Amino acid sequence: MTIAGPSLPADLVERWGIRSSELIADTRTSLVHRVLRRDGSRAITKQLKPEGLHELSGIDFLDWRKGCGSVLVLDRRNTACLLEDAGTLMLKDYRLQHGEDAANNIILSVLGELHSTSVDAPPDSLIPLRSHFQPLFERTSREDKPDLSAALAYSASIADDLLSSQSDIRPLHGDLHHENIVSGSERGWLAIDPQGLLGDPAYDVANVFGNPDGAFADIIDPRRIIRLVDVFAPAIGCEREKILRYAIAHAGLSICWSLEGGDRISGEGNAMERFAFLNIARRLLEERAFSP
């Protein structure tokens, strides 16, 4: 570890008793450090940049969960927080060693804890699911490339229908996937980096379909898509079709985020992967290829 430097403000270094720090992520929205504290414990610090203030609802979600299925918020100061260090083993890597079914079982376990009831009222800051989907609706209205326009219009139509008929509305992690479930501490597998949303619980598994990163062949494999539908529908307590439709809706939204970040459908990045997934999932939905 390196000695804590200017990227960690002096008042936070003192307040949290930080002896040393290691930068582990510098994104458009935040700075994340793994730190060693004076008492010998390790923790994670997350500092939101101006572009990342929308992530405050995610920190509020973690605060509300109080460590149930997710990392603990140890302390907060304005747009920075001190988090439990859940470990360095990502579910993405675990899946490579132990397989898809083992990874899915962990997702189900974490999801069950995240969706469990709490005696505390959820925070008011959680973002409604329809607001979360606005980038998809806005991009669809102005997209002029025929193939992309058709795919986004299809995804947006499904999203609008789902959002108009939500059930069992509750706080959601909003970004659950193989790199946001980690382990290595005595508390086992925990979720990190939530969006902090409010909506239908079926959305909370939608991002699993497009992950893990680097598993494109699996992501577009119809057998895996159907398997995920069959695994998640009973866990959420909804029809299989609903799970697949939320996955399609999220794929369209993810394409829009990627395009805004400079990605291209013709490239080899996330936009291309989600576009390919969307088209295959659409065929499965229209053919009703999933289990009855």
Side-chain angles (χ1 to χ4, degrees):
M1 279 190 162
T2 57
I3 299 300
S7 59
L8 288 171
D11 62 324
L12 293 184
V13 172
E14 179 61 28
R15 177 182 176 89
W16 294 335
I18 295 172
R19 288 172 49 193
S20 59
S21 69
E22 175 189 6
L23 180 66
I24 57 176
D26 183 354
T27 70
R28 183 179 62 86
T29 60
S30 65
L31 287 169
V32 182
H33 290 80
R34 174 167 279 110
V35 301
L36 178 64
R37 306 176 74 191
R38 281 195 294 264
D39 62 6
S41 66
R42 295 182 184 272
I44 300 294
T45 64
K46 183 171 185 176
Q47 302 162 264
L48 298 181
K49 299 177 181 179
E51 297 87 348
L53 295 183
H54 63 279
E55 295 184 15
L56 284 170
S57 61
I59 298 173
D60 290 341
F61 176 86
L62 290 178
D63 223 353
W64 173 71
R65 279 285 76 192
K66 291 182 167 57
C68 185
S70 63
V71 292
L72 284 161
V73 178
L74 304 177
D75 193 24
R76 301 179 66 172
R77 193 64 146 185
N78 299 321
T79 58
C81 60
L82 182 72
L83 303 169
E84 172 187 10
D85 187 349
T88 58
L89 176 62
M90 290 191 298
L91 187 59
K92 171 185 174 180
D93 299 319
Y94 180 90
R95 178 181 178 270
L96 288 175
Q97 292 183 315
H98 300 278
E100 174 84 3
D101 289 342
N104 289 340
N105 287 337
I106 290 169
I107 293 172
L108 291 176
S109 176
V110 171
L111 185 72
E113 293 190 66
L114 291 174
H115 286 186
S116 63
T117 57
S118 171
V119 296
D120 299 321
D124 294 332
S125 62
L126 298 179
I127 299 169
L129 210 49
R130 184 170 286 279
S131 298
H132 181 66
F133 269 90
Q134 279 307 116
L136 171 61
F137 299 132
E138 292 171 2
R139 180 94 191 194
T140 299
S141 68
R142 66 175 189 271
E143 182 57 54
D144 57 3
K145 297 178 181 177
D147 289 347
L148 179 57
S149 177
L152 292 183
Y154 179 75
S155 180
S157 175
I158 285 180
D160 184 56
D161 183 61
L162 288 168
L163 295 171
S164 298
S165 57
Q166 295 182 72
S167 60
D168 192 21
I169 293 175
R170 62 175 65 198
L172 307 177
H173 181 285
D175 194 20
L176 201 63
H177 59 78
H178 300 76
E179 293 179 38
N180 278 347
I181 300 177
V182 298
S183 181
S185 73
E186 61 184 17
R187 296 218 299 127
W189 293 98
L190 298 170
I192 62 172
D193 289 342
Q195 290 280 327
L197 307 180
L198 186 69
D200 195 306
Y203 179 69
D204 243 357
V205 296
N207 204 14
V208 176
F209 286 82
N211 280 278
D213 185 44
F216 179 58
D218 291 336
I219 289 169
I220 62 170
D221 184 344
R223 294 167 300 179
R224 181 192 188 240
I225 296 172
I226 293 170
R227 174 61 180 157
L228 289 178
V229 168
D230 290 341
V231 165
F232 292 139
I236 297 295
C238 67
E239 295 180 353
R240 287 166 170 79
E241 180 176 330
K242 186 176 185 179
I243 296 292
L244 186 57
R245 294 177 79 214
Y246 263 112
I248 291 171
H250 179 76
L253 177 60
S254 185
I255 289 171
C256 295
W257 287 334
S258 294
L259 294 176
E260 289 171 6
D263 201 355
R264 296 177 301 158
I265 292 294
S266 58
E268 296 181 354
N270 181 77
M272 180 278 294
E273 290 188 356
R274 297 304 174 99
F275 182 71
F277 166 82
L278 194 159
N279 287 323
I280 292 169
R282 175 177 183 172
R283 175 175 58 80
L284 293 175
L285 182 63
E286 292 175 346
E287 295 176 355
R288 298 190 63 80
F290 44 88
S291 301

